[in-house]
Structure formats: C-alpha cells, structure tokens
Amino acid sequence: GRAQSFHQASIEPFPWSSPRQHAYVGNAPRLDLAAPVLTVLETSPREGRSRIRTRLSSPRGAREARLIIPDTVTVDALSVHGHLVPALSEKARARHNGWQVYTFPNLPREGVELELVISHTDPVELVLLDRSSDLPPEGEALRAARPREAQPIHDGDGVIVTRRVRL
C-alpha cells in the first residue's frame, strides 16, 4: 500500500501563485530547514524612495532563490551584482497575481548582491523563497505515493522554503 494519497485540486499555495494552478495535493512532513536570508548591506532613504543594498543567500545550499515583492510595493529599479534588471512586464506580474517575482536560478553559495530602489520609505514586507531539487529522505513516502503512471514535470520534485522579511 501507499503511505500517502494524492488528490487533484485547484490550489493557491502562495498569494503569488497563478489563479489557474492545478496540482496534486497530499500531506507532507514538516521539515526544520534553514530559510533563505536577505542580509542588508546598506540603506539610504532619499526623496520618498529607499535604496537598499542586500545579499540574498540560501544557508541550506539551494540552487534557486526568489525575491517576491507584493503588488503594493513600487519597484523603481533592481540590480543584480550592479547590472540593472529589466522591469517586469504586466503579463509577468499578472501571472503572479500582481506580485513581482524575481528568480535567481543558479544561486552561488555566497548568494547574490541585490540593489533595490523602491518608492517607499516606510518598512515593506518581502518574501524570500529558495528551492532545492529532489526530495530529502523524509519525502520518500511522497515519492512512493505517486501513482505508477505519474511522473514529475516542470521543475520536478523539490523542497521549497520561504521566509518573510521586513525592510
């Protein structure tokens, strides 16, 4: 017999998830994993805007990270290691319910240096996410519960850890 069972559902696991997302849902063990970190290196508020220089990293060594910014925050500019990132299109924002999702696919061990310019001087809450490939030993029951005819798609099996931060 299978240790778990899955059922298909329309879910919204995160506020930035696509409203049309369909997934198979099942119970998984809670893991005590280190969450991604956003280290503030420098801040400088000026004329109703804030320039915040940070380092985004994954203490657990995940190879992908995301900086997720709510639709209530206006991003004037984002640079990665000094290179300006093009503004997100309306289509990209609509895909994430208006949230601004920046993905860093080959995250180095030391992380990435980001400079964020936002049209706010009040504190803002952001979400950090990291994703590692495959499942840890604790997730083997999930793999065993998958129907024989099913297989992972898109990014495959993985573990996601999130953290909310206030800047």
Side-chain angles (χ1 to χ4, degrees):
R2 291 193 162 81
Q4 301 279 332
S5 65
F6 288 95
H7 63 278
Q8 189 170 16
S10 292
I11 60 166
E12 190 174 299
F14 302 110
W16 56 89
S17 296
S18 168
R20 299 184 318 265
Q21 184 170 359
H22 298 280
Y24 285 95
V25 179
N27 293 325
R30 182 171 179 85
L31 303 176
D32 187 23
L33 300 173
V37 174
L38 191 68
T39 304
V40 176
L41 305 173
E42 177 185 359
T43 60
S44 49
R46 189 171 66 216
E47 300 171 8
R49 294 169 41 163
S50 293
R51 184 175 80 61
I52 309 162
R53 199 166 57 86
T54 65
R55 178 169 303 280
L56 173 61
S57 61
S58 172
R60 67 189 190 93
R63 295 293 301 166
E64 178 184 308
R66 294 180 188 175
L67 175 67
I68 304 165
I69 303 170
D71 58 354
T72 56
V73 177
T74 302
V75 176
D76 295 329
L78 174 70
S79 298
V80 179
H81 293 294
H83 300 281
L84 188 63
V85 174
L88 293 174
S89 68
E90 286 304 312
K91 185 177 179 180
R93 291 183 65 159
R95 188 172 40 244
H96 296 289
N97 286 330
W99 289 64
Q100 301 155 85
V101 179
Y102 297 93
T103 302
F104 305 96
N106 291 305
L107 188 69
R109 188 61 137 156
E110 67 277 5
V112 290
E113 187 173 308
L114 309 174
E115 184 174 299
L116 186 63
V117 179
I118 56 175
S119 292
H120 301 272
T121 54
D122 294 331
V124 296
E125 188 173 269
L126 311 176
V127 179
L128 312 176
L129 177 150
D130 71 11
R131 182 185 187 286
S132 54
S133 296
D134 213 358
L135 295 174
E138 297 90 343
E140 282 306 313
L142 294 170
R143 191 183 325 268
R146 186 169 32 225
R148 280 186 255 276
E149 67 278 3
Q151 66 181 7
I153 61 169
H154 302 297
D155 293 332
D157 290 332
V159 175
I160 293 172
V161 179
T162 62
R163 168 181 275 165
R164 292 186 177 276
V165 295
R166 202 165 163 84
L167 299 178

